Amino acid sequence: MAGQFRFSVWDPILIVSQIVTMQTIFYACLGLWIVIMDTFLGDTQSLDHVFRYQELEVRKTSGRMIIAAFILNSLTSAAGLWYVVQRTKQCLDFTMTVHVIHLFACWFYNGAFPSSVSWWLLCLACTTLMCVCGEFLCMRTEMKAIPVSLGPRADL
C-alpha cells in the first residue's frame, strides 16, 4: 500500500450498511418532499407519486410538483452522500446504486419496465445532480487543510 494516502480494506458489511443507509435517506427524504408538495397542493398522498412513472406529467401541476420533489431529493441525497459515504471517488457508485435500486422498485411496483421518456430524463438529471453535488461536498471536506500542531516551541 505504499504511495497511497488512505488505507482501504474490503469491508462488505460497511458497504452494505452504507447502501441501506443511502437508500433509506433517498426514500425518506423523497417521501418528505412529496408530502410537503402534496400538502401544498392539497393533493392526496400516495405511493404512486414515488413509484409510478405515469405520475410525472409535465402538463399537470401535480406532475411538476413531483418532479420538483425528485430534484430537491437529489440535493438532500447529495448531503446524505457527504455524511454517509464521505469519499469523492465513491459518490458515483452509491448514486448509481440508489437509482438502479429505485429502477427495480418502480419496475416491481408497476409490473412493467418504465417506458416514459420523462421518467428516464428525470432519473438522468437527478442522478447527475446527486452525484455532482455529493462529489462537490465530499471534495470540499477532503481538501480541507490538515492542522499540524507542533506543540510549544523553544526559541534558541
Side-chain angles (χ1 to χ4, degrees):
M1 286 289 163
Q4 289 188 347
F5 176 69
R6 292 181 197 241
F7 180 71
S8 37
V9 176
W10 170 250
D11 188 3
I13 295 172
L14 174 67
I15 295 169
V16 170
S17 64
Q18 286 176 325
I19 289 171
V20 169
T21 304
M22 283 307 304
Q23 206 68 40
T24 304
I25 290 171
F26 179 79
Y27 282 125
C29 292
L30 181 59
L32 180 66
W33 285 116
I34 288 177
V35 165
I36 291 170
M37 297 294 177
D38 285 344
T39 304
F40 180 70
L41 282 177
D43 203 2
T44 59
Q45 285 115 17
S46 172
L47 276 179
D48 288 350
H49 294 246
V50 177
F51 295 113
R52 278 185 55 103
Y53 55 89
Q54 294 91 344
E55 295 285 325
L56 300 173
E57 294 184 25
V58 181
R59 294 180 185 100
K60 289 183 174 179
T61 305
S62 62
R64 286 192 297 262
M65 288 296 188
I66 293 170
I67 291 170
F70 270 92
I71 291 171
L72 290 170
N73 185 51
S74 294
L75 298 174
T76 53
S77 295
L81 282 172
W82 178 48
Y83 186 74
V84 174
V85 177
Q86 299 177 350
R87 297 288 307 270
T88 304
K89 289 173 62 174
Q90 294 177 338
C91 285
L92 178 62
D93 300 336
F94 281 93
T95 300
M96 290 304 299
T97 302
V98 164
H99 283 88
V100 167
I101 291 172
H102 180 65
L103 167 69
F104 285 123
C106 291
W107 192 356
F108 178 76
Y109 186 81
N110 292 303
F113 194 75
S115 60
S116 171
V117 175
S118 61
W119 187 86
W120 284 103
L121 289 175
L122 179 65
C123 281
L124 179 66
C126 289
T127 302
T128 304
L129 187 63
M130 181 177 164
C131 181
V132 169
C133 291
E135 285 178 351
F136 174 75
L137 292 171
C138 289
M139 195 177 305
R140 283 181 51 125
T141 304
E142 288 176 356
M143 298 302 287
K144 282 186 178 175
I146 299 171
V148 179
S149 62
L150 300 174
R153 282 200 266 174
D155 288 332
L156 298 175

